[in-house]
């Protein structure tokens, strides 16, 4: 996406890319407004006392940051604005960390549901507000490992003069050798594999409890199971972008214009959309959060109507 405008020449192609950039700005604005509404709802109610809502807010903040930063990089790339390498390194560090924060947090949310259903007596102890803060630190620590690995190799490979140059900031400039890209992909796939194992483990355990439960416990357990399935779908949307570079590299060998179109579609479908749609679905599905969201979205009219009916 970052290099789209540098490849296609001609007035009609430039106009087409301009239209695409405008579409991205509209989508980013809409998605940020939705995320801002969800974040406002979180802070206006006492949702910060429950671990699952705290983790949900982390995904919202992480996704919003990614939306803003990727959009800024897109605009800078489109207008061919160069950036000092030290600033590009800082930007790369932030993006590299927070692109993993959301999927790791979704995995933590799945584990929280596992504890709530399979170990209900220890849920209050293991999922307290204090433990949530420790969990946030652990999430960011785990999300930093791929960045530390890739940047360590980059710092060892890049000459000192490289840091004084001004370039268009993109992830490709941090890869000097082909094996660096393979190592980066291997780390990402390892994370994908471990997250999938965690999701499947929680699903199987909750399924066993659901089959053995009865009455209200059975209803609550099956609801938790559907939540785990939702987290798996959210995780799939977030992690499928890890496969996009492989698809784009294969398409690039076929046709350059096709590569540009595929990269644009991947950016919209697997980077922008999941950063808004998946948390929105989760927020609408949770009854408590949905009623609070509906109240603030309608500026309190929903709450007044509910009290009048009662």
């Amino acid at each position: 996406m970052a290099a789209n405008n540098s490849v296609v020449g001609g007035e009609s192609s430039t106009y087409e890319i301009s239209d695409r950039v405008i579409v991205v700005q509209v989508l980013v604005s809409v998605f940020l407004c939705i995320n801002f509404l969800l974040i406002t709802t979180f802070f206006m109610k006492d949702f910060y006392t429950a671990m699952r809502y705290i983790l949900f807010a982390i995904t919202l903040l992480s996704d919003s940051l990614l939306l803003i930063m990727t959009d800024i990089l897109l605009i800078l790339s489109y207008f061919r604005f160069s950036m000092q390498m030290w600033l590009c390194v800082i930007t790369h560090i932030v993006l590299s960390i927070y692109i993993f924060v959301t999927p790791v947090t979704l995995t933590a949310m799945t584990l929280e549901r596992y504890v709530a259903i399979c170990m209900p007596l220890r849920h209050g102890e293991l999922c307290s507000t204090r433990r949530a803060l420790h969990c946030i630190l652990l999430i960011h620590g785990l999300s930093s490992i791929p960045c530390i690995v890739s940047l360590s190799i980059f710092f060892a490979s890049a000459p000192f003069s490289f840091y004084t140059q001004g370039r268009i900031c993109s992830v490709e400039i941090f890869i000097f050798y082909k094996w660096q890209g393979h190592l980066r992909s291997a780390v990402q796939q390892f994370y994908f594999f471990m997250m999938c194992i965690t999701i499947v483990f929680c699903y199987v355990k909750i399924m066993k409890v659901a089959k053995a439960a009865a009455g209200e416990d059975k209803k609550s357990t099956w609801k938790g199971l559907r939540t785990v399935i939702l987290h798996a779908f959210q995780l799939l949307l977030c992690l499928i972008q890890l496969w996009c570079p492989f698809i784009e590299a294969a398409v690039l060998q076929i046709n350059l214009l096709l590569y540009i179109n595929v990269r644009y579609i991947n950016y919209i479908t697997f980077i922008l959309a999941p950063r808004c749609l998946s948390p929105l679905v989760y927020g609408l599905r949770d009854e408590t959060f949905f009623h609070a969201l509906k109240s603030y979205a309608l500026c309190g009219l929903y709450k007044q109507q509910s009290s009048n009916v009662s």
Side-chain angles (χ1 to χ4, degrees):
M1 188 65 201
N4 285 0
N5 63 314
S6 63
V7 181
V8 184
E11 295 181 0
S12 59
S13 298
T14 304
Y15 178 76
E16 181 184 357
I17 296 178
S18 298
D19 286 344
R20 291 182 172 186
V21 172
I22 292 173
V23 169
V24 170
Q25 302 315 303
V26 172
L27 289 175
V28 168
S29 300
V30 172
F31 291 163
L32 284 176
C33 287
I34 294 173
N35 282 7
F36 178 74
L37 180 60
L38 294 171
I39 293 171
T40 303
T41 303
F42 168 80
F43 284 107
M44 294 297 288
K45 286 286 186 179
D46 295 333
F47 291 114
Y48 46 82
T49 59
M51 175 181 268
R52 63 175 175 147
Y53 292 123
I54 294 174
L55 295 177
F56 177 52
I58 294 299
T59 64
L60 289 173
L61 294 170
S62 171
D63 291 340
S64 298
L65 178 63
L66 274 173
L67 285 173
I68 293 171
M69 294 193 68
T70 55
D71 187 48
I72 291 174
L73 287 178
L74 171 68
I75 295 173
L76 292 177
S77 174
Y78 176 71
F79 289 106
R80 310 298 294 171
F81 286 138
S82 61
M83 182 185 297
Q84 288 296 316
M85 281 309 304
W86 64 268
L87 182 57
C88 185
V89 169
I90 295 175
T91 303
H92 176 68
I93 291 173
V94 175
L95 287 176
S96 297
I97 292 174
Y98 279 92
I99 202 169
F100 278 97
V101 165
T102 293
V104 174
T105 304
L106 288 172
T107 306
M109 292 171 72
T110 302
L111 288 172
E112 187 274 335
R113 286 294 85 196
Y114 162 74
V115 172
I117 294 171
C118 299
M119 296 186 289
L121 297 180
R122 299 197 61 192
H123 182 260
E125 173 192 353
L126 297 176
C127 299
S128 62
T129 305
R130 184 178 180 182
R131 291 292 180 92
L133 297 177
H134 295 162
C135 185
I136 293 172
L137 293 176
L138 180 60
I139 287 170
H140 283 78
L142 291 174
S143 302
S144 301
I145 293 176
C147 177
I148 293 173
V149 172
S150 62
L151 283 182
S152 297
I153 299 173
F154 166 73
F155 289 140
S157 305
F160 180 77
S161 59
F162 185 82
Y163 301 100
T164 60
Q165 300 174 4
R167 296 192 178 190
I168 297 176
C169 190
S170 65
V171 68
E172 286 80 9
I173 65 175
F174 293 93
I175 300 176
F176 291 100
Y177 307 105
K178 196 171 183 179
W179 62 267
Q180 289 178 274
H182 293 326
L183 178 61
R184 177 170 167 266
S185 299
V187 173
Q188 291 176 342
Q189 302 313 315
F190 173 75
Y191 268 64
F192 177 84
F193 180 68
M194 296 304 297
M195 291 175 193
C196 288
I197 289 179
T198 304
I199 293 287
V200 172
F201 169 80
C202 293
Y203 179 85
V204 171
K205 290 293 185 180
I206 294 175
M207 176 69 78
K208 290 181 179 179
V209 174
K211 289 182 178 179
E216 289 297 322
D217 290 338
K218 190 176 186 68
K219 181 179 179 182
S220 177
T221 303
W222 279 103
K223 183 178 180 181
L225 188 64
R226 289 194 295 270
T227 302
V228 171
I229 296 174
L230 175 60
H231 288 330
F233 176 70
Q234 291 175 285
L235 192 62
L236 178 64
L237 287 177
C238 290
L239 293 180
I240 202 170
Q241 64 182 289
L242 301 180
W243 293 91
C244 290
F246 297 102
I247 299 173
E248 292 168 3
V251 173
L252 182 59
Q253 303 299 321
I254 301 173
N255 185 276
L256 201 55
L257 185 59
L258 179 62
Y259 164 77
I260 296 172
N261 294 329
V262 169
R263 199 171 189 188
Y264 176 77
I265 293 172
N266 286 343
Y267 180 70
I268 296 291
T269 308
F270 301 122
I271 296 181
L272 289 188
R275 301 296 171 180
C276 172
L277 296 181
S278 62
L280 178 62
V281 170
Y282 181 83
L284 294 178
R285 186 180 176 277
D286 187 280
E287 292 182 7
T288 305
F289 196 90
F290 172 70
H291 288 307
L293 176 63
K294 193 173 181 180
S295 176
Y296 287 115
L298 298 178
C299 302
L301 293 177
Y302 171 75
K303 185 176 181 181
Q304 293 176 6
Q305 291 175 0
S306 299
S307 60
N308 290 335
V309 171
S310 60

